[in-house]
Amino acid sequence: MQIDAAALRCVHARQWTSSAIATLQREAARSADTHLLHMTFAGFPGIDFYFKDEAAHPTGSLKHRLARSLYLYALCNGRLRPGQAVVDASSGSTAISEAWFARLLGLEFTAVMPDTTAPGKIEAVRALGGHIDLTAPGQCTQARARDIAADGACFLDQFGLAERATDWRGNNNIAESILGQLAREPHPEPAWVACGVGTGGTSATLGRYLRYRGLQTQLCVAEPEGMVYAKAWPHHDRSAEVHTVSVIEGIGRQRVEPSFQFNVVDAVIEVPDAASIAAIQLLEERLGVRYGGSSGTNFVACLQLAERMRDADARGSIVTLLCDRGARYRETRYDPAWLAARSIDPSPWKSKLAALLERGID
Ligand SMILES: *Cc1c(COP(=O)(O)O)cnc(C)c1O
Protein backbone atom coordinates (compact mmCIF):
# COMPACT_ATOMS: atom_id res chain seq x y z
CA MET A 1 0.00 0.00 0.00
CA GLN A 2 1.30 3.45 -0.88
CA ILE A 3 1.11 6.18 1.71
CA ASP A 4 0.03 9.45 0.23
CA ALA A 5 2.59 12.18 1.02
CA ALA A 6 -0.06 14.92 1.12
CA ALA A 7 -2.14 12.92 3.62
CA LEU A 8 0.94 12.49 5.79
CA ARG A 9 1.57 16.22 5.71
CA CYS A 10 -2.05 16.78 6.81
CA VAL A 11 -1.67 14.44 9.76
CA HIS A 12 1.55 16.17 10.73
CA ALA A 13 -0.07 19.61 10.47
CA ARG A 14 -3.02 18.56 12.65
CA GLN A 15 -0.69 17.12 15.25
CA TRP A 16 1.32 20.34 15.26
CA THR A 17 -1.89 22.40 15.61
CA SER A 18 -2.98 20.29 18.60
CA SER A 19 0.33 20.70 20.33
CA ALA A 20 0.43 24.48 19.62
CA ILE A 21 -3.06 24.87 21.11
CA ALA A 22 -2.02 22.80 24.14
CA THR A 23 0.99 25.11 24.57
CA LEU A 24 -1.30 28.16 24.60
CA GLN A 25 -3.68 26.47 27.04
CA ARG A 26 -0.80 25.65 29.38
CA GLU A 27 0.39 29.28 29.23
CA ALA A 28 -3.13 30.44 30.17
CA ALA A 29 -3.27 27.95 33.03
CA ARG A 30 0.07 29.17 34.42
CA SER A 31 -1.01 32.84 34.27
CA ALA A 32 -2.74 34.46 37.23
CA ASP A 33 -5.63 36.84 36.72
CA THR A 34 -4.86 40.59 36.83
CA HIS A 35 -5.67 42.68 39.91
CA LEU A 36 -8.72 44.89 40.28
CA LEU A 37 -7.42 47.86 42.29
CA HIS A 38 -9.87 49.87 44.40
CA MET A 39 -9.65 53.62 45.04
CA THR A 40 -11.89 56.24 46.59
CA PHE A 41 -11.45 60.00 46.50
CA ALA A 42 -12.58 62.61 49.05
CA GLY A 43 -14.11 64.64 46.21
CA PHE A 44 -16.44 61.78 45.26
CA PRO A 45 -18.10 60.38 48.40
CA GLY A 46 -20.10 57.20 47.79
CA ILE A 47 -18.36 56.45 44.49
CA ASP A 48 -16.00 53.49 44.27
CA PHE A 49 -13.37 53.49 41.50
CA TYR A 50 -11.88 50.22 40.28
CA PHE A 51 -8.84 49.86 38.02
CA LYS A 52 -8.23 46.57 36.23
CA ASP A 53 -4.45 46.29 36.14
CA GLU A 54 -3.76 44.85 32.71
CA ALA A 55 -0.12 45.95 32.95
CA ALA A 56 0.35 42.91 35.22
CA HIS A 57 0.27 40.41 32.33
CA PRO A 58 3.61 38.75 31.46
CA THR A 59 3.92 40.99 28.39
CA GLY A 60 2.86 44.14 30.23
CA SER A 61 -0.44 45.08 28.61
CA LEU A 62 -4.02 44.11 27.87
CA LYS A 63 -2.75 42.91 24.49
CA HIS A 64 -1.57 39.72 26.18
CA ARG A 65 -5.20 38.54 26.17
CA LEU A 66 -5.68 39.63 22.56
CA ALA A 67 -2.47 38.00 21.29
CA ARG A 68 -3.35 34.68 22.94
CA SER A 69 -6.82 34.85 21.35
CA LEU A 70 -5.48 35.77 17.89
CA TYR A 71 -3.06 32.81 17.82
CA LEU A 72 -5.79 30.45 19.03
CA TYR A 73 -8.18 31.83 16.42
CA ALA A 74 -5.63 31.42 13.60
CA LEU A 75 -4.82 27.87 14.76
CA CYS A 76 -8.46 26.79 15.17
CA ASN A 77 -9.28 28.20 11.73
CA GLY A 78 -6.48 26.16 10.18
CA ARG A 79 -4.82 29.40 9.02
CA LEU A 80 -1.57 28.94 10.91
CA ARG A 81 0.52 26.03 9.73
CA PRO A 82 3.68 24.39 11.08
CA GLY A 83 6.75 26.58 10.58
CA GLN A 84 4.78 29.42 9.01
CA ALA A 85 5.94 32.98 9.71
CA VAL A 86 3.50 35.35 11.40
CA VAL A 87 2.92 39.07 10.78
CA ASP A 88 0.75 41.84 12.18
CA ALA A 89 0.37 45.63 12.07
CA SER A 90 0.75 47.18 15.50
CA SER A 91 1.56 50.44 17.23
CA GLY A 92 3.55 48.42 19.72
CA SER A 93 1.78 46.73 22.60
CA THR A 94 0.18 44.05 20.42
CA ALA A 95 3.49 43.44 18.68
CA ILE A 96 5.23 42.83 22.02
CA SER A 97 2.58 40.29 23.09
CA GLU A 98 2.50 38.63 19.66
CA ALA A 99 6.30 38.38 19.58
CA TRP A 100 6.22 36.76 23.02
CA PHE A 101 3.69 34.13 21.90
CA ALA A 102 5.57 33.57 18.61
CA ARG A 103 8.66 32.70 20.64
CA LEU A 104 6.57 30.40 22.85
CA LEU A 105 5.31 28.60 19.73
CA GLY A 106 8.68 28.64 17.94
CA LEU A 107 7.45 30.83 15.05
CA GLU A 108 9.09 33.71 13.23
CA PHE A 109 7.28 37.02 13.78
CA THR A 110 7.35 40.40 12.02
CA ALA A 111 5.74 43.54 13.45
CA VAL A 112 4.81 46.32 11.04
CA MET A 113 4.93 49.54 13.07
CA PRO A 114 4.71 53.27 12.40
CA ASP A 115 8.20 54.82 12.64
CA THR A 116 6.87 57.08 15.44
CA THR A 117 6.51 54.10 17.82
CA ALA A 118 8.15 54.56 21.23
CA PRO A 119 11.76 53.21 21.09
CA GLY A 120 11.12 51.13 24.23
CA LYS A 121 8.44 49.15 22.40
CA ILE A 122 10.65 48.52 19.35
CA GLU A 123 13.40 47.28 21.67
CA ALA A 124 10.97 44.99 23.48
CA VAL A 125 9.87 43.30 20.22
CA ARG A 126 13.51 42.85 19.12
CA ALA A 127 14.48 41.44 22.52
CA LEU A 128 11.78 38.78 22.05
CA GLY A 129 13.28 37.79 18.69
CA GLY A 130 10.70 39.63 16.56
CA HIS A 131 11.53 41.44 13.31
CA ILE A 132 10.54 45.09 12.85
CA ASP A 133 9.21 46.63 9.66
CA LEU A 134 8.81 50.40 10.13
CA THR A 135 6.41 52.38 7.94
CA ALA A 136 6.80 56.05 7.02
CA PRO A 137 4.14 58.63 8.02
CA GLY A 138 1.11 58.22 5.77
CA GLN A 139 1.96 54.63 4.84
CA CYS A 140 -0.71 52.14 5.91
CA THR A 141 0.70 49.55 8.33
CA GLN A 142 -2.18 47.15 7.70
CA ALA A 143 -1.66 47.23 3.91
CA ARG A 144 2.06 46.58 4.46
CA ALA A 145 1.28 43.62 6.76
CA ARG A 146 -1.09 42.23 4.11
CA ASP A 147 1.70 42.47 1.51
CA ILE A 148 4.02 40.47 3.77
CA ALA A 149 1.23 37.91 4.30
CA ALA A 150 0.78 37.62 0.52
CA ASP A 151 4.32 36.19 0.47
CA GLY A 152 3.23 33.34 2.74
CA ALA A 153 3.08 34.64 6.32
CA CYS A 154 0.00 34.25 8.50
CA PHE A 155 -1.63 37.66 9.10
CA LEU A 156 -2.90 37.74 12.69
CA ASP A 157 -4.95 40.85 11.79
CA GLN A 158 -5.63 42.37 15.20
CA PHE A 159 -7.72 45.20 13.77
CA GLY A 160 -9.93 42.94 11.68
CA LEU A 161 -10.32 40.06 14.12
CA ALA A 162 -10.10 41.49 17.67
CA GLU A 163 -13.87 41.49 18.20
CA ARG A 164 -14.37 37.89 17.12
CA ALA A 165 -11.16 36.22 18.30
CA THR A 166 -12.15 36.83 21.94
CA ASP A 167 -14.83 34.60 23.39
CA TRP A 168 -17.32 37.29 24.51
CA ARG A 169 -19.56 34.84 26.40
CA GLY A 170 -16.91 34.08 28.99
CA ASN A 171 -13.74 31.99 29.16
CA ASN A 172 -12.41 34.51 31.67
CA ASN A 173 -12.50 37.32 29.12
CA ILE A 174 -11.75 40.74 30.64
CA ALA A 175 -15.43 41.48 31.36
CA GLU A 176 -16.11 38.17 33.10
CA SER A 177 -12.95 38.60 35.13
CA ILE A 178 -13.90 42.13 36.27
CA LEU A 179 -17.45 41.21 37.23
CA GLY A 180 -16.23 38.17 39.16
CA GLN A 181 -13.79 40.35 41.10
CA LEU A 182 -16.57 42.86 41.87
CA ALA A 183 -18.99 40.25 43.18
CA ARG A 184 -18.41 40.98 46.90
CA GLU A 185 -18.04 44.75 46.52
CA PRO A 186 -20.71 47.23 47.72
CA HIS A 187 -21.78 47.97 44.11
CA PRO A 188 -21.10 44.76 42.14
CA GLU A 189 -23.05 46.08 39.13
CA PRO A 190 -21.02 49.11 38.00
CA ALA A 191 -22.78 52.30 36.93
CA TRP A 192 -20.14 52.73 34.23
CA VAL A 193 -17.25 50.90 32.62
CA ALA A 194 -14.84 53.15 30.72
CA CYS A 195 -12.19 52.04 28.21
CA GLY A 196 -10.20 53.40 25.32
CA VAL A 197 -10.50 52.08 21.79
CA GLY A 198 -7.62 50.87 19.67
CA THR A 199 -8.82 47.82 17.78
CA GLY A 200 -12.23 48.08 19.49
CA GLY A 201 -11.86 44.53 20.77
CA THR A 202 -11.99 45.42 24.47
CA SER A 203 -15.06 47.65 24.17
CA ALA A 204 -16.83 45.00 22.06
CA THR A 205 -16.14 42.28 24.65
CA LEU A 206 -17.19 44.50 27.57
CA GLY A 207 -20.37 45.77 25.90
CA ARG A 208 -21.51 42.34 24.76
CA TYR A 209 -20.78 40.64 28.06
CA LEU A 210 -22.64 43.32 30.08
CA ARG A 211 -25.75 42.61 28.00
CA TYR A 212 -25.22 38.84 28.12
CA ARG A 213 -25.19 39.04 31.93
CA GLY A 214 -28.33 41.20 31.92
CA LEU A 215 -26.67 44.20 33.58
CA GLN A 216 -27.65 47.87 33.20
CA THR A 217 -24.01 49.04 33.36
CA GLN A 218 -23.20 51.64 30.72
CA LEU A 219 -20.08 51.62 28.57
CA CYS A 220 -18.11 54.80 27.94
CA VAL A 221 -15.33 55.20 25.39
CA ALA A 222 -12.46 57.38 26.63
CA GLU A 223 -11.12 59.03 23.48
CA PRO A 224 -8.16 61.38 22.99
CA GLU A 225 -9.50 64.79 21.96
CA GLY A 226 -10.16 65.22 18.25
CA MET A 227 -9.73 61.54 17.37
CA VAL A 228 -12.11 59.48 15.28
CA TYR A 229 -14.51 57.80 17.71
CA ALA A 230 -15.77 61.13 19.09
CA LYS A 231 -16.63 62.17 15.53
CA ALA A 232 -17.95 58.80 14.35
CA TRP A 233 -19.99 57.60 17.32
CA PRO A 234 -22.94 60.11 17.36
CA HIS A 235 -24.17 58.92 13.93
CA HIS A 236 -22.45 55.52 13.92
CA ASP A 237 -20.47 56.70 10.92
CA ARG A 238 -18.08 53.95 9.88
CA SER A 239 -16.56 56.11 7.15
CA ALA A 240 -15.54 58.96 9.51
CA GLU A 241 -11.89 60.01 9.41
CA VAL A 242 -9.79 62.61 11.21
CA HIS A 243 -6.33 63.96 10.45
CA THR A 244 -5.42 65.04 13.97
CA VAL A 245 -2.82 63.03 15.87
CA SER A 246 -2.64 62.10 19.52
CA VAL A 247 0.44 61.20 21.58
CA ILE A 248 -1.55 58.58 23.49
CA GLU A 249 -0.38 55.20 22.19
CA GLY A 250 -2.70 52.24 21.74
CA ILE A 251 -5.78 54.44 21.24
CA GLY A 252 -6.60 57.64 19.35
CA ARG A 253 -7.28 56.25 15.90
CA GLN A 254 -7.78 58.27 12.71
CA ARG A 255 -10.17 55.75 11.13
CA VAL A 256 -12.96 53.57 12.52
CA GLU A 257 -11.45 50.12 12.89
CA PRO A 258 -13.48 47.13 11.66
CA SER A 259 -13.68 45.51 15.11
CA PHE A 260 -15.34 48.54 16.74
CA GLN A 261 -18.99 47.92 17.65
CA PHE A 262 -20.97 51.19 17.77
CA ASN A 263 -24.12 49.67 19.26
CA VAL A 264 -22.66 48.60 22.61
CA VAL A 265 -21.27 52.06 23.45
CA ASP A 266 -23.39 54.47 25.55
CA ALA A 267 -21.12 57.53 25.63
CA VAL A 268 -17.84 58.91 24.31
CA ILE A 269 -15.79 61.32 26.41
CA GLU A 270 -12.97 63.30 24.79
CA VAL A 271 -9.83 63.88 26.83
CA PRO A 272 -7.03 66.34 25.86
CA ASP A 273 -3.62 64.62 25.68
CA ALA A 274 -2.21 66.97 28.36
CA ALA A 275 -4.98 65.84 30.75
CA SER A 276 -4.17 62.16 30.06
CA ILE A 277 -0.48 62.82 30.84
CA ALA A 278 -1.43 64.70 34.04
CA ALA A 279 -3.61 61.75 35.03
CA ILE A 280 -0.79 59.18 34.66
CA GLN A 281 1.36 61.42 36.88
CA LEU A 282 -1.42 61.39 39.51
CA LEU A 283 -1.76 57.61 39.18
CA GLU A 284 1.98 57.25 39.72
CA GLU A 285 1.75 59.37 42.89
CA ARG A 286 -1.14 57.34 44.27
CA LEU A 287 -0.21 53.83 43.14
CA GLY A 288 3.58 54.11 43.00
CA VAL A 289 3.54 52.59 39.52
CA ARG A 290 3.90 54.12 36.06
CA TYR A 291 1.25 53.30 33.49
CA GLY A 292 0.97 54.26 29.80
CA GLY A 293 -0.97 57.30 28.55
CA SER A 294 -4.22 55.48 27.71
CA SER A 295 -4.63 54.60 31.41
CA GLY A 296 -4.63 58.36 32.05
CA THR A 297 -7.25 58.95 29.34
CA ASN A 298 -9.41 56.31 31.04
CA PHE A 299 -8.91 57.89 34.47
CA VAL A 300 -9.96 61.37 33.27
CA ALA A 301 -13.07 59.93 31.60
CA CYS A 302 -13.95 58.19 34.89
CA LEU A 303 -13.67 61.48 36.76
CA GLN A 304 -16.11 63.10 34.32
CA LEU A 305 -18.51 60.20 34.77
CA ALA A 306 -18.12 60.53 38.54
CA GLU A 307 -18.96 64.23 38.32
CA ARG A 308 -22.16 63.35 36.47
CA MET A 309 -23.02 60.79 39.16
CA ARG A 310 -22.21 63.20 41.96
CA ASP A 311 -24.33 65.95 40.38
CA ALA A 312 -27.24 63.47 40.17
CA ASP A 313 -26.70 62.42 43.83
CA ALA A 314 -25.95 58.89 42.63
CA ARG A 315 -23.76 56.37 44.42
CA GLY A 316 -22.15 53.38 42.79
CA SER A 317 -19.03 52.04 41.15
CA ILE A 318 -17.04 52.98 38.07
CA VAL A 319 -14.59 50.55 36.49
CA THR A 320 -11.75 51.22 34.09
CA LEU A 321 -8.51 49.69 32.85
CA LEU A 322 -4.82 50.33 33.42
CA CYS A 323 -3.76 49.24 29.96
CA ASP A 324 0.02 49.02 29.89
CA ARG A 325 3.24 49.70 31.80
CA GLY A 326 4.74 53.18 31.80
CA ALA A 327 8.35 51.95 31.60
CA ARG A 328 7.87 51.72 27.84
CA TYR A 329 7.45 55.51 27.69
CA ARG A 330 10.40 56.63 29.79
CA GLU A 331 12.01 58.54 26.90
CA THR A 332 8.69 59.90 25.65
CA ARG A 333 5.49 60.52 27.67
CA TYR A 334 7.40 60.53 30.97
CA ASP A 335 10.16 62.86 29.73
CA PRO A 336 9.39 66.59 30.39
CA ALA A 337 11.65 67.63 27.48
CA TRP A 338 9.80 65.29 25.08
CA LEU A 339 6.47 66.77 26.19
CA ALA A 340 7.71 70.37 26.00
CA ALA A 341 8.99 69.79 22.44
CA ARG A 342 5.39 68.91 21.55
CA SER A 343 3.88 71.84 23.48
CA ILE A 344 2.17 69.50 25.92
CA ASP A 345 1.95 71.01 29.38
CA PRO A 346 0.27 68.69 31.87
CA SER A 347 0.77 70.93 34.93
CA PRO A 348 -2.47 73.00 34.77
CA TRP A 349 -4.40 69.76 34.29
CA LYS A 350 -2.60 68.13 37.15
CA SER A 351 -3.67 70.88 39.60
CA LYS A 352 -7.20 70.80 38.27
CA LEU A 353 -7.54 67.02 38.51
CA ALA A 354 -5.88 66.89 41.95
CA ALA A 355 -8.38 69.49 43.23
CA LEU A 356 -11.22 67.46 41.76
CA LEU A 357 -10.04 64.34 43.58
CA GLU A 358 -9.73 66.18 46.89
CA ARG A 359 -12.70 68.46 46.85
CA GLY A 360 -14.83 67.51 43.89
CA ILE A 361 -14.62 71.00 42.37
CA ASP A 362 -13.79 71.99 38.80
C1 LIG B 1 -4.77 48.31 22.44
C2 LIG B 1 -4.69 49.26 23.51
C3 LIG B 1 -5.84 49.89 24.01
C4 LIG B 1 -7.22 49.68 23.42
O1 LIG B 1 -7.69 48.34 23.42
P1 LIG B 1 -8.47 47.69 22.18
O2 LIG B 1 -9.01 46.44 22.73
O3 LIG B 1 -7.48 47.44 21.09
O4 LIG B 1 -9.54 48.63 21.71
C5 LIG B 1 -5.65 50.79 25.05
N1 LIG B 1 -4.44 51.04 25.56
C6 LIG B 1 -3.32 50.43 25.12
C7 LIG B 1 -1.99 50.75 25.72
C8 LIG B 1 -3.41 49.52 24.09
O5 LIG B 1 -2.30 48.93 23.65
Side-chain angles (χ1 to χ4, degrees), residues 34-39 49-57 60-63 65 174 178 194-196 202 279-280 282-284 286-300 302 319-326 334:
T34 58
H35 315 292
L36 189 66
L37 307 175
H38 177 220
M39 280 202 271
F49 294 78
Y50 295 91
F51 296 83
K52 180 71 167 160
D53 188 2
E54 292 292 287
H57 287 293
S61 82
L62 79 179
K63 293 303 193 318
R65 294 178 193 270
I174 190 164
I178 289 170
C195 71
T202 304
I280 54 174
L282 287 170
L283 284 172
E284 182 182 4
R286 297 195 178 231
L287 297 171
V289 178
R290 284 185 170 184
Y291 293 97
S294 67
S295 305
T297 314
N298 286 346
F299 187 24
V300 176
C302 286
V319 180
T320 196
L321 317 180
L322 300 168
C323 305
D324 68 344
R325 296 179 192 154
Y334 277 96

Side-chain angles (χ1 to χ4, degrees), residues 169-231:
R169 294 176 197 82
N171 230 333
N172 201 37
N173 70 38
I174 190 164
E176 185 179 43
S177 167
I178 289 170
L179 292 173
Q181 290 172 319
L182 280 174
R184 291 165 195 268
E185 296 301 303
H187 305 286
E189 179 170 344
W192 286 96
V193 176
C195 71
V197 174
T199 62
T202 304
S203 54
T205 303
L206 287 165
R208 288 166 175 165
Y209 192 74
L210 291 169
R211 280 169 182 71
Y212 185 57
R213 285 281 297 269
L215 305 183
Q216 302 308 307
T217 304
Q218 292 192 280
L219 179 64
C220 174
V221 165
E223 179 76 339
E225 193 170 64
M227 302 313 291
V228 78
Y229 291 106
K231 183 175 176 190

Side-chain angles (χ1 to χ4, degrees), residues 21 26 183 210 275 327 338 345:
I21 290 170
R26 286 204 308 277
L210 291 169
W338 190 93
D345 181 8

